[in-house]
Every structure is written in structure tokens, then in C-alpha cells.
Amino acid sequence: MQIGNTQIVDTFAEAFGMVYTRLIITAFDDHWLRAATSEVSGYGSSVIACDAEVGVERLLSPEETPDGRPGAQVLAFGFSADALAKAITKRVGQCVMTCASTAVFDGLPHAEKRMPLGKSLRYFGDGFQKSKVIGGTRYWRIPVMDGEFFCVESLGIEKGVAGGNIIFQAVDQPTALTAARQAVEAIAPLANVIAPFPGGVARSGSKVGSKYKSLMASTSDTNCPTLRGRVESQVVEGAHCVLEIVLDGTSEEAVAQGMKSAMQAAAIDGVLVISAGNYGGKLGKFHFHLKDLL
């Protein structure tokens, strides 16, 4: 199959089941909102080494937020509810509570499974914290130097899908970067999906294992242009730059739509091949066949 001059390889992306939560963060204005969301999603690209995979799902207008201020929905994914709870409590405590003017609300209010947030962070108030129930939901007001940090007591947790991906090979780096930006921009308006790597893009695709026993993952040598000729390379002739977009979503459908939009946007002149990463179907139960998506 082709999109324009770009070949779509007959392969599939292999994704994994994970749990996720959704935070709604608000702030005084867009400046402080960007400060909070960039901090809370920092070092949140891959659970290979990060405590969670985190990204901004979408921005919210004041008309869409609980307190009538600029806001953002942030998705965070982890392997277990306990691990995710620890990660998000630390991230909100260090990266959002510290950011001037912010507040945090629950983006999954109807979820049965819950994780503590304000319930844990309240102790920072050193006994001066106060709780308030609004519309059946408990919030904590923690005194801080610009007033109060207003934070929901708990967040909902649901099951999601992580690790959907596309890998594209381009004639040079400028072409690959242009394709990557267009793909990420195509994903941005979509609900229920994030691309957690820097700028939405990973240049250091990985494989399971390593010649070094201490590493659980190492460079995807078959996709490294500089190793063509030294390994059983998957890099096609004429390609000199390979990039990957990894997607996490609240459902199979969300990841599938994100992959489809990314492929269509990345298939520009100079992108020779679009493929995907998998492990022979042995590790992840969610398989996204590229040709089926298109």
C-alpha cells in the first residue's frame, strides 16, 4: 500500500494494556498553565525508566473547566494502580502545587477505582489544610504563599492501551523532522490519546534486552541508519533518518485513530517508508495492523 510516494509496510504495532488517570489542571492564565503542564509531564516518556508516561491530552477553554479558568486535560499511564498513584502524587506535589495559581480536578469522576491525590498532599498544609465537599466531591485547600492550592481528594483510574507506534524513514533529517511535526500536529486535536515523547517523537527507538545484562532495553539497531551494513538492517536504501511516534490512549479505538492520523500526516515527499515496531506478537495483546488502519 502507498500513501502518495510513501510505502506502508505490511506489519503491525504491538501495544500493551496499562492503567491511566486523567487530571484537569487549571491556572490563572495560559502562561502558568503551560508552566504546570510542561513540568508535570516532564521525564514522562517511557516506563522503561520513567515512573509514568504523561502528556497533555487537550487544552480546555475557561468555559470547559470547573473553575472557569484556562485548563488542560493531562493523561498519565502506568503498569499498575499503585505505581501510578505514587508517581502522580509526587508529580502533582512537586510540579503543580509549586506552580503559581494552579488547581487540580478529577478528569475521571465516574471511575469506580480511585487513587489518592489531595488526600495525600494535604499534609503539606501542616495542620492548616481544610476540606470542602462540592457537588459530592471532596477537595482540599492547602495554604500556600499565593493563597491556596485547591486539589481534588482522589482521581479515577481506568484501563487503557499504551505503545501504539509508527516508524518512518526519510531521505534526510529535515524531511523526517517536518513529517514528525505534521504527524504530532495531526494527533494533537484528538481526544483520549497522547504522544508522550519529547515533542511527541522518539529518535531512540528500542528493542528488548541488550548485550549488557543490566539493561532491559537498548537501541533498535535494525532501525539505525549508521549501522546499515553491520546488522540485519530494516533501513531502506536512500533513507538516512528514522523517527518513531509512540501513542498511549484510553482505548484501542483512540490509539488506532491516532496512528491513522499520524500516518496520513507523515506521508510527505521524502518519507520513503512507514512501518511499526512489534515483538512478533508475543508481548502485547493489542495489534494495530497498518493497512487495516488505512
Side-chain angles (χ1 to χ4, degrees), residues 72-88:
Q73 288 182 177
V74 174
L75 290 176
F77 291 77
F79 278 129
S80 71
D82 288 344
L84 187 62
K86 291 178 182 178
I88 297 308

Side-chain angles (χ1 to χ4, degrees), residues 161-177:
V161 179
N165 66 86
I166 66 167
I167 299 172
F168 51 94
Q169 304 182 23
V171 294
D172 54 29
Q173 188 181 65
T175 301
L177 293 174

